Amino acid sequence: MALRPRRASCHFTALIVFLPRRFGLIQSSFLQSEGLPFADVLSEIEIQRAFADAGVDFAQEEDEIYTPPLTLWAFLSQCLHKGEQRSCMAAVSRILVLLVALGREPCAKNTGAYCRARAKLPEKVIERLAVDVARGCEEQVPGVGCGTNVT
């Protein structure tokens, strides 16, 4: 029995087909929608630019699962959870659930491919994104910037 995506608006349907290949996955997962305070801190374009500037180009084939956006999403989910939910197995389980929810074929349960993809995330990109988030948050706090710096 084939899984079908839930009925949704045309925009949402188009988005879910490409979500694992787009950095918009990060925004949608971490509640960065328009009007929320964190929405203007780090855009999809800024994340794409950081990866492009670092020459990150793994998982470019259509059938490859662990794309840079999906790998970054899973890595961030590991960082933000605690206890057993920080494990690679838990991260792969979240990826599997996401893929099924999007009507895609589930990935294998073993963690090897994810761990290899995660190792390809350049430390400089992670550092750049962390600094960008800190600066973006700093700019949104009234009174900060008068000689103080959180980064």
Side-chain angles (χ1 to χ4, degrees), residues 70-150:
L70 191 60
T71 304
L72 178 62
W73 174 79
F75 173 67
L76 290 175
S77 76
Q78 280 186 278
C79 294
L80 296 173
H81 280 88
K82 60 184 184 176
E84 292 176 359
Q85 293 302 311
R86 293 186 74 143
S87 70
C88 290
M89 180 63 76
V92 170
S93 295
R94 286 188 286 276
I95 290 169
L96 193 145
V97 168
L98 174 67
L99 293 173
V100 170
L102 296 176
R104 310 246 334 236
E105 286 293 317
C107 60
K109 292 179 184 177
N110 92 35
T111 61
Y114 165 67
C115 291
R116 285 189 296 278
R118 192 182 67 182
K120 293 176 187 177
L121 294 175
E123 202 172 307
K124 288 288 185 188
V125 171
I126 304 300
E127 179 183 344
R128 176 177 169 177
L129 296 175
V131 169
D132 288 350
V133 166
R135 284 191 182 129
C137 290
E138 183 180 65
E139 290 169 2
Q140 292 187 13
V141 176
V144 174
C146 304
T148 57
N149 193 328
V150 296

Side-chain angles (χ1 to χ4, degrees), residues 6 29 34 36 85 150:
R6 291 180 273 177
S29 294
E34 194 173 324
L36 293 175
Q85 293 302 311
V150 296

Side-chain angles (χ1 to χ4, degrees), residues 21 57-62 64-69 71 117 120:
R21 298 194 109 26
D57 65 352
F58 64 89
Q60 296 300 309
E61 298 300 319
E62 188 62 35
E64 292 181 286
I65 293 171
Y66 295 104
T67 62
T71 304
K120 293 176 187 177

